[in-house]
Amino acid sequence: MNNHFMEYSYDKFEFKVDKRCWYHDSEFWVREESGLFIVGATDFLQTNAGDVAFLELPEAGMDVTAGDEVGLMETIKTTVVIVAPLSGNIKRVNQVLEDEPGLVNSDAYGDGWIMMIEATNWEAEKADLIDAEAYYPIMEKNIKQAMDKK
């Protein structure tokens, strides 16, 4: 078992929260790694939105501000706006997702990452994000509301 995750089961679904991440209220996560911040969709978002069919990825080199809409994630059920959870410069985007968009579903906190940002104001903006311990009960509540609608 991977110690990086808190897991929650509801009905036939399993949800994970990566303890190493910070969470934006748009359901995108950010995790620092080697001086850059990796961004991806939460396990709840990818499960609730459905199978990802296509991503309109942001451009490497773009400057973004926290909360900016930077791309789109098309699923079998809906279109999700990709939001930058922090300000900075997009250094890399996960080009593999162009051919394998399903990685967002199968490995949301790993190979399904969307972009890497060099943060310009991390210490100040971190206060607007939610740590994993605080995000977990929010996710739990969101899961119950989403599943009860089905």
Side-chain angles (χ1 to χ4, degrees):
M1 177 163 162
N2 189 326
N3 290 338
H4 294 299
F5 295 102
M6 293 181 282
E7 296 182 7
Y8 176 73
S9 297
Y10 190 85
D11 195 22
K12 63 182 186 254
F13 298 100
E14 292 283 329
F15 296 90
K16 292 181 182 175
V17 173
D18 189 324
K19 295 183 216 175
R20 302 167 296 172
C21 297
W22 291 85
Y23 296 84
H24 188 265
D25 59 12
S26 63
E27 291 294 334
F28 287 89
W29 56 263
V30 60
R31 179 177 69 234
E32 187 174 12
E33 219 167 89
S34 303
L36 293 176
F37 291 85
I38 301 171
V39 176
T42 64
D43 198 29
F44 169 71
L45 176 60
Q46 66 80 20
T47 300
N48 196 45
D51 293 339
V52 178
F54 172 79
L55 286 106
E56 182 182 299
L57 296 168
E59 294 288 322
M62 270 177 61
D63 287 326
V64 296
T65 301
D68 281 358
E69 297 178 2
V70 298
L72 295 173
M73 187 167 69
E74 299 279 342
T75 75
I76 59 170
K77 294 195 247 177
T78 190
T79 300
V80 175
V81 173
I82 300 171
V83 174
L86 69 161
S87 301
N89 182 270
I90 299 176
K91 291 298 183 187
R92 283 183 58 199
V93 295
N94 190 352
Q95 298 294 336
V96 174
L97 296 178
E98 290 180 358
D99 294 325
E100 298 180 58
L103 285 173
V104 173
N105 298 110
S106 63
D107 196 7
Y109 296 108
D111 292 338
W113 63 274
I114 295 170
M115 61 188 153
M116 290 185 184
I117 297 176
E118 182 177 48
T120 53
N121 202 11
W122 171 244
E123 287 306 318
E125 291 179 347
K126 184 164 69 169
D128 295 329
L129 299 172
I130 307 162
D131 70 16
E133 294 291 329
Y135 172 72
Y136 188 89
I138 294 168
M139 179 198 68
E140 193 175 20
K141 179 179 152 237
N142 291 342
I143 290 166
K144 289 176 182 172
Q145 286 176 344
M147 295 302 168
D148 288 346
K149 288 181 185 175
K150 293 182 180 195

